[in-house]
Amino acid sequence: MINIMKNSLLRVMLLSFTCLPGFLFAEDYFKKFAGKIPVKVHYLKSASTKPMNLLGIDAARGIVYAEMEGSGRLELELRQLQRQNIEKFEFSWSRNAKTYLNYLANEQYDPRILTALRPEVYKVMLFLDMPFQYLAIHDDCLTYVKGLLGMEQFNEAFYLLSRLNLSKLDEYGYRDFSEAALELCGKMIAANPDSAKASQALLKRISIRDNSGDHASYLRLADSLRAQGLYAEAIAEYTRLSPIVAKDPYSPYNKILSIWPVYCYVKLYEIYAPAAAKDKRYAEAASKMFNSAVQGLKKLDEEPPERNTNEYSLYKLLRSLIRVQYARQYEARGDEFKSSEYYRQSVLEVTEGIVNARIGLDWLPESLMMAGDAYEKLDLPEAATNVYNQVKVFFPKTKWEKLSIERLGKLPQS
């Protein structure tokens, strides 16, 4: 009977920490180290304290399970603690754990610290669903999380953060856990694009608040997906963020969020189109991506960015990209006249954007390369040479410099 009760209690304790399957981790630390933690109970009407063991918490029911000598097993209602004369629970880390947490707080990183802390930290973190005012463990647990990120222990950090109730922690004033999750997703995607699907599962658990700081952070994350060539995943995150940002008509991110998804559709079409030319099975997907891009651009044309904004040059790049796709389609059909006309239009579009762009914009090198490629198609090698040389000068030690050198090597020598 005792074992049955223990197993049942363990399931309750782990209930809110088992929401994200699919990301492999060697050991289930929450399960391995689950157990009671000793605390002192502070009472509202008494200066004295009493020892108690916290056994677990059922956040859904708002019940804290505990045991106390002389009282046996207790079920305390979390919202009614003060009515039960309980002011708070005081937990004290072991001496070694305090030392190791201080190491992490001071960024003195060593994997052996994690090994030493896990048995105590994971046991304590099972009680993070209790508000800080009743159990002050959140700052120390956050120190451990930040330590994992600092040591690039991404697997364990993902395992841990995916099992926390991030929304509840936000309510308690500990948005830092969500920020850590957002930072983790960005680092995981940068280190390994194959982790995107797992990262997106964690992203769904992060609430986006109505403030510019959250919007900027989430936009950077979506941008990192796009930069890795994960266009479908980027569209999903831009689409999630856009209606939240749109609540503020004056937000500086509204226009960029309307452009990037269309750009991603064009890039997806560029991936599908060559495959569709060889295998008709891909034709439907290619057509869907192209139509989504064209319809998205039509909507942008109804209310384009102001000419003096950064977004204007991206908008013009997008118009150029679409025209290049039309040019290639006519080129494949043998219609050189229409193909040349669309290449000419693409140069005009992207050049107008370049004139209004500044060097720091991350889409500028692609715009320049687009112009160079179109000049080549129009048999204007000198103009193409000038553009590629600009790329070499302004974007050294990047993939764009390498690509421009390759293009220059293929141009006819004058």
Side-chain angles (χ1 to χ4, degrees):
M1 184 66 179
I2 294 175
N3 289 333
I4 293 174
M5 288 179 61
K6 285 184 177 179
N7 291 335
S8 177
L9 182 58
L10 181 58
R11 284 196 295 271
V12 169
M13 293 165 68
L14 295 174
L15 184 62
S16 61
F17 299 92
T18 55
C19 302
L20 282 182
F23 195 84
L24 300 179
F25 194 68
E27 290 188 89
D28 188 344
Y29 290 144
F30 279 111
K31 183 176 180 180
K32 180 178 180 180
F33 298 120
K36 60 188 178 184
I37 63 171
V39 297
K40 292 180 181 178
V41 185
H42 290 255
Y43 295 99
L44 291 168
K45 299 178 181 179
S46 174
S48 63
T49 62
K50 289 185 178 180
M52 176 184 284
N53 289 320
L54 297 183
L55 304 178
I57 180 171
D58 184 342
R61 295 179 58 206
I63 300 295
V64 179
Y65 298 98
E67 64 180 11
M68 179 183 286
E69 187 176 346
S71 300
R73 189 172 181 273
L74 305 171
E75 291 188 6
L76 306 172
E77 291 188 42
L78 192 55
R79 296 178 181 177
Q80 304 293 331
L81 287 180
Q82 292 188 353
R83 289 189 179 182
Q84 299 167 76
N85 194 32
I86 295 176
E87 180 184 5
K88 64 179 181 179
F89 305 104
E90 179 187 349
F91 171 76
S92 297
W93 296 92
S94 68
R95 182 178 299 177
N96 285 340
K98 283 183 181 178
T99 301
Y100 295 138
L101 284 168
N102 283 333
Y103 285 156
L104 292 182
N106 293 316
E107 299 183 3
Q108 296 177 349
Y109 296 142
D110 187 320
R112 291 173 296 182
I113 294 175
L114 302 179
T115 302
L117 276 173
R118 283 184 191 120
E120 200 164 340
V121 164
Y122 279 95
K123 189 178 296 182
V124 171
M125 277 195 286
L126 283 168
F127 296 88
L128 278 173
D129 276 335
M130 197 177 298
F132 178 85
Q133 68 190 84
Y134 295 127
L135 185 63
I137 58 173
H138 300 68
D139 292 310
D140 292 321
C141 292
L142 182 62
T143 295
Y144 185 84
V145 171
K146 290 182 176 179
L148 291 175
L149 293 178
M151 283 188 271
E152 298 186 351
Q153 299 294 314
F154 299 152
N155 280 11
E156 184 178 347
F158 182 94
Y159 159 83
L160 192 165
L161 287 166
S162 67
R163 283 157 175 77
L164 298 184
N165 190 334
L166 297 176
S167 296
K168 182 65 68 176
L169 289 165
D170 286 356
E171 293 177 17
Y172 294 163
Y174 279 88
R175 176 69 181 180
D176 309 70
F177 287 94
S178 290
E179 293 294 338
L182 197 60
E183 179 185 346
L184 170 65
C185 290
K187 288 184 174 181
M188 285 173 59
I189 292 165
N192 179 12
D194 290 339
S195 68
K197 289 190 181 299
S199 298
Q200 284 191 290
L202 178 55
L203 285 174
K204 290 178 181 178
R205 295 170 57 83
I206 302 172
S207 61
I208 308 173
R209 299 171 299 180
D210 287 334
N211 67 60
S212 59
D214 274 21
H215 300 169
S217 296
Y218 208 88
L219 179 59
R220 284 194 297 271
L221 192 284
D223 287 343
S224 71
L225 288 165
R226 172 181 49 78
Q228 291 282 359
L230 301 167
Y231 301 116
E233 292 83 355
I235 289 170
E237 301 313 325
Y238 288 131
T239 303
R240 181 188 178 195
L241 179 59
S242 184
I244 298 172
V245 173
K247 294 176 182 178
D248 177 8
Y250 302 104
S251 172
Y253 307 119
N254 275 318
K255 189 57 69 174
I256 200 78
L257 281 167
S258 66
I259 300 175
W260 277 133
V262 184
Y263 172 93
C264 290
Y265 279 121
V266 175
K267 291 302 176 180
L268 285 170
Y269 173 72
E270 290 178 357
I271 294 170
Y272 278 108
K278 298 177 182 178
D279 190 334
K280 297 299 183 183
R281 290 178 299 175
Y282 298 101
E284 183 179 352
S287 178
K288 181 179 179 181
M289 297 305 154
F290 189 69
N291 289 336
S292 295
V294 170
Q295 293 305 313
L297 182 59
K298 285 182 179 178
K299 188 173 182 180
L300 286 170
D301 288 341
E302 295 173 3
E303 194 175 344
E306 297 291 335
R307 188 178 292 269
N308 62 346
T309 63
N310 292 332
E311 291 79 10
Y312 183 77
S313 59
L314 177 58
Y315 165 68
K316 298 303 270 185
L317 168 62
L318 188 54
R319 287 179 59 85
S320 177
L321 285 168
I322 294 289
R323 278 151 180 75
V324 165
Q325 295 310 321
Y326 280 126
R328 290 174 180 171
Q329 291 172 11
Y330 282 114
E331 194 172 38
R333 299 172 195 167
D335 192 334
E336 294 297 326
F337 177 78
K338 286 189 176 180
S339 176
S340 294
E341 175 59 21
Y342 273 107
Y343 277 125
R344 187 187 68 80
Q345 290 180 21
S346 75
V347 169
L348 294 175
E349 293 285 352
V350 77
T351 302
E352 187 179 359
I354 291 169
V355 169
N356 289 276
R358 58 180 179 82
I359 295 297
L361 298 175
D362 67 356
W363 56 85
L364 180 57
E366 183 178 358
S367 296
L368 290 166
M369 295 303 295
M370 281 286 300
D373 182 66
Y375 283 134
E376 286 189 59
K377 295 291 185 181
L378 294 171
D379 198 22
L380 298 169
E382 289 187 9
T385 298
N386 289 336
V387 171
Y388 295 145
N389 281 328
Q390 288 182 52
V391 174
K392 284 174 57 182
V393 170
F394 290 115
F395 304 98
K397 299 179 180 179
T398 66
K399 67 175 183 179
W400 303 110
E401 180 193 35
K402 182 180 179 181
L403 185 57
S404 64
I405 292 172
E406 290 176 359
R407 295 278 183 85
L408 284 168
K410 294 178 181 178
L411 288 173
Q413 302 299 312
S414 57

